[in-house]
Amino acid sequence: MTQELRIEFRARALPSSGTLVVLAADGVALGAGGQEVDTATDGLLTAAAEGQGFKGKRGSTLKLVMPRGLEAGAVLMVGLGEADGLGENDWVKLGGSIAGALPSGPASDVTLFAETPAGALSAAQAAQMAMGMRLRAYTFDLYKSKKADDDTPSARTVVIAVDDVAAAEAAWAEMSGITDGVIIARDLVNEPANVLGPEEFAARAAALSELGVAVSVLDQPAIEALEMRALLGVAQGSVRPPRVVVMEWNGGAEGTAPVALVGKGVVFDTGGISIKPAGGMEDMKGDMGGAAAVVGAMHAIAARKAKANVVGIIGLVENMPDGNAQRPGDIVKSKSGQFIEIINTDAEGRLVLGDLLTHIIETKSPSVVIDLATLTGAIIVALGHFYAGMYATKDETAAKLAAAGEATGDWVWRMPLGPDYDKMIDSKFADFKNTGGGRAGGSITAAQFLKRFVGDSDWVHIDLAGTAMNAPATDISRTFGSGYGVRLLDRFVADNFEG
Ligand code: BES
Ligand code: MN
Ligand code: ZN
């Protein structure tokens, strides 16, 4: 939230102060700007690289202070590695490495010569680096009395030197909105559950209306009227009533069926009566990572005025044990009319999502429906923290999402569905039950549960339990909430639904 970077684009010129960032490819190959700096300093860059063993390896850095012959206070050399064929996400990650290597302390502004030995970066590449810098600079220190940026200017300016300033500004106008979407999702995941209950989360989603998104917030009586009893069953142990939020962006042709995004928003998951062990339970404040990704993606899509129709829906509940809480053995009638036997109250996310899926398919007839949820620990066992699990009814849609994941670094890995797994959730007493019995295939049986609510829809389920929260630090993500899924969804829409 703090340590914001302000991004500006200008034509290349040697700065009169601050830190100058120079990119160097393998073999310390410099672009025109880098060569100018090397000449102005009487060969300092090449000499220092030689002396320090800096070879231009991707993401490596070398810092030179008080370089003679320059007005800048420091030069930061950053390695590009093999500069040809760097992809979009490589530029984002490089921006992250740069932001991570900037000197702390009151060292003021930064100038970045955005170039390779082959010439200036494209407008898109420059904007990608800017995105990486802002994502890396993100911190969440609302509740730290001493802020990370107490010693540094709170809004330091990064000037990116490019050939075509207007084109870079136009590219950044899009990319900065997407970046904001990622940061919104991170903030939501990082907030503690006492601050961010269902009502407070809904209020943050409602802020999307400032961008022209039509937002409607359903309160408990409205949710009851819609007969979402599976969702309500999860919420009934909490003193904080649930909310369902529907967000509509109509940037596409009138009458075109929308893309539907559905998010699990369990603001805190104690497990309910099937209570979780104490160790690590605090992480369950992030059990709304799916809903956060949907809100962040809606922001990104609206901010760049996407020419597509997209509808988001999130179910916001708190899963608590209480005198009024749902019990194992309870049978609830879902909005779809199907009866569900509750075996484990900790398998709550699927109960929320089932009703949301029924509602959005009934009311919006979407062309494709994608749900996102921190649904199972089992997906972390299967895939760890780098890929989210993806389940899909249609190969073509799965391939499109996989491509969006490759482009953005929000990777998805397809998992299987099938009748043998489906049988595992058959129930003795009801139409089906909310767990697969044992632990075998826990993420798959959860997906099979959801599939029972989608009819013959083109449907995708993304289990982001391992990627949206508590994921390992990367070049662009350093906090508990990663913002995973925002760039994935935005790209999926951009590449497939905007004509
Ligand atoms: N929110 C959890 C899944 C989760 C686990 C998310 C770890 C992030 C990190 C979900 O509601 C849950 O409790 N799932 C159970 C299902 C089980 C009871 C069938 C699980 O994964 O253990
Ligand atoms: Mn749970
Ligand atoms: Zn949960």
Side-chain angles (χ1 to χ4, degrees), residues 2 11 36 77 83 113 116 137 165 167 201 216 241 264 267 293 307 331 335 338 372 427 471 479:
T2 49
E36 188 190 340
M77 293 177 77
F113 284 180
T116 72
V165 171
F201 193 124
S216 63
K264 169 181 173 181
V267 298
K307 292 184 180 55
I331 294 176
K335 178 169 175 60
Q338 303 175 98
L372 301 103
S427 157
T479 68

Side-chain angles (χ1 to χ4, degrees), residues 51-122:
Q52 298 295 311
F54 175 85
K55 297 193 166 62
K57 186 171 158 285
R58 178 130 3 123
S60 64
T61 57
L62 178 62
K63 201 173 295 173
L64 312 171
V65 292
M66 310 295 283
R68 198 157 299 198
L70 293 180
E71 291 176 83
V75 172
L76 178 66
M77 293 177 77
V78 177
L80 291 173
E82 170 68 68
D84 296 339
L86 280 171
E88 163 180 355
N89 198 41
D90 297 316
W91 290 113
V92 175
K93 289 196 316 200
L94 272 162
S97 330
I98 293 170
L102 290 177
S104 57
S108 68
D109 292 345
V110 178
T111 303
L112 163 65
F113 284 180
E115 60 177 10
T116 72
L121 296 192
S122 69

